[in-house]
């Protein structure tokens, strides 16, 4: 995906109240502006004061905060995608362009479809020419420790629910996929975060044994855009 307009660059001063961040923009030095932070997670390692950041600007006059925090660069010069909504866009493009060879049987992809026992909404639903269906749940990975990306970055009952919904769809005879989109340039593999949410990690192990597929996308991140450029290995359990 490409950003529609050039992003504005600045320096992060603080992130607070989950949805807000104060940024000093390069074109307005000594002036702090509040922007929308589209990330409800813990954002561990993603929001340190002093990080270089990039924001998109909305033309909607009704918005309280015109700017949205999109990207950050940490003190190791690693890129991080802050806007979690970008993960679905990147995943959709990757699925359409066959970045994950195991899913190339599915030629039509629809976003945000209702499914499952709990009336959830799947991120991407694939259809094959033979009429098979593939349910893909997308997760944005930004927590990186020692070059390993972890999900989730906080305890998440909702994330466990999504794993269980995929397991149910697999039991109905469909393909079911958990797709992690690594939105951090410092990771070379992905793991469920057992040290943060062991119940989620155990749910993933159980789902994999029951046929749920796990894949991870590596991404190329810049102020021009974000694109999947391959896959990363996934480690489930202690293997």
């Amino acid at each position: 995906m490409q950003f529609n307009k050039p992003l504005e660059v600045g320096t992060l001063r603080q992130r607070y109240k989950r949805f807000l961040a104060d940024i000093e923009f390069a074109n307005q030095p000594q002036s702090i502006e509040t922007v929308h932070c589209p990330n409800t997670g813990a954002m561990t390692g993603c929001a340190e004061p002093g990080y270089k950041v990039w924001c998109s600007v909305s033309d909607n006059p009704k918005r309280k905060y015109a700017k949205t925090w999109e990207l950050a660069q940490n003190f190791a010069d690693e890129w991080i995608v802050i806007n979690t909504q970008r993960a679905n866009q990147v995943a959709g493009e990757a699925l359409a362009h066959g970045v994950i060879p195991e899913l190339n049987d599915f030629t039509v992809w629809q976003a945000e479809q209702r499914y499952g026992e709990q009336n959830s909404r799947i991120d991407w639903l694939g259809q094959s020419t033979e009429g098979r269906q593939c349910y893909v749940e997308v997760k944005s990975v930004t927590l990186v420790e020692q070059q390993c990306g972890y999900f989730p970055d906080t305890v998440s009952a909702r994330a466990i629910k999504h794993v269980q919904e995929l397991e149910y769809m697999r039991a109905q005879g469909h393909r079911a996929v958990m797709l992690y989109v690594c939105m951090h340039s410092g990771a070379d593999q992905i793991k469920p975060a057992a040290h943060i949410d062991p119940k989620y990690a155990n749910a993933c192990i159980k789902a994999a044994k029951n046929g749920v597929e796990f894949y991870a996308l590596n991404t190329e991140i810049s102020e021009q855009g974000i694109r999947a450029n391959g896959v990363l290995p996934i480690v489930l359990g202690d293997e």
Side-chain angles (χ1 to χ4, degrees), residues 67-79:
K67 296 175 183 176
T68 298
W69 185 7
E70 297 283 354
L71 308 173
Q73 195 172 47
N74 64 20
F75 299 132
D77 294 329
E78 295 167 334
W79 288 86

Side-chain angles (χ1 to χ4, degrees), residues 186-206:
D188 56 20
Q189 64 177 332
I190 303 297
K191 292 182 180 181
H195 60 304
I196 295 173
D197 192 343
K199 289 184 179 180
Y200 175 81
N202 289 335
C204 289
I205 293 171
K206 177 176 177 288

Side-chain angles (χ1 to χ4, degrees), residues 90-145:
V90 172
E93 291 178 359
L95 293 168
H97 291 95
V99 176
I100 305 172
E102 292 86 349
L103 302 181
N104 284 351
D105 289 344
F106 301 91
T107 55
V108 177
W109 292 96
Q110 296 174 289
E112 300 291 330
Q113 301 296 303
R114 293 285 183 185
Y115 82 112
E117 287 187 300
Q118 303 178 57
N119 196 30
S120 299
R121 192 183 293 272
I122 197 70
D123 291 312
W124 289 98
L125 175 61
Q127 304 279 352
S128 73
T129 54
E130 294 81 18
R132 295 191 67 197
Q133 293 184 323
C134 180
Y135 292 80
V136 179
E137 179 70 32
V138 177
K139 298 300 182 187
S140 176
V141 178
T142 58
L143 174 61
V144 173
E145 298 172 353

Side-chain angles (χ1 to χ4, degrees), residues 31-44:
S31 177
I32 305 298
E33 184 174 347
T34 300
V35 307
H36 174 56
C37 176
N39 191 318
T40 61
M43 291 182 66
T44 304

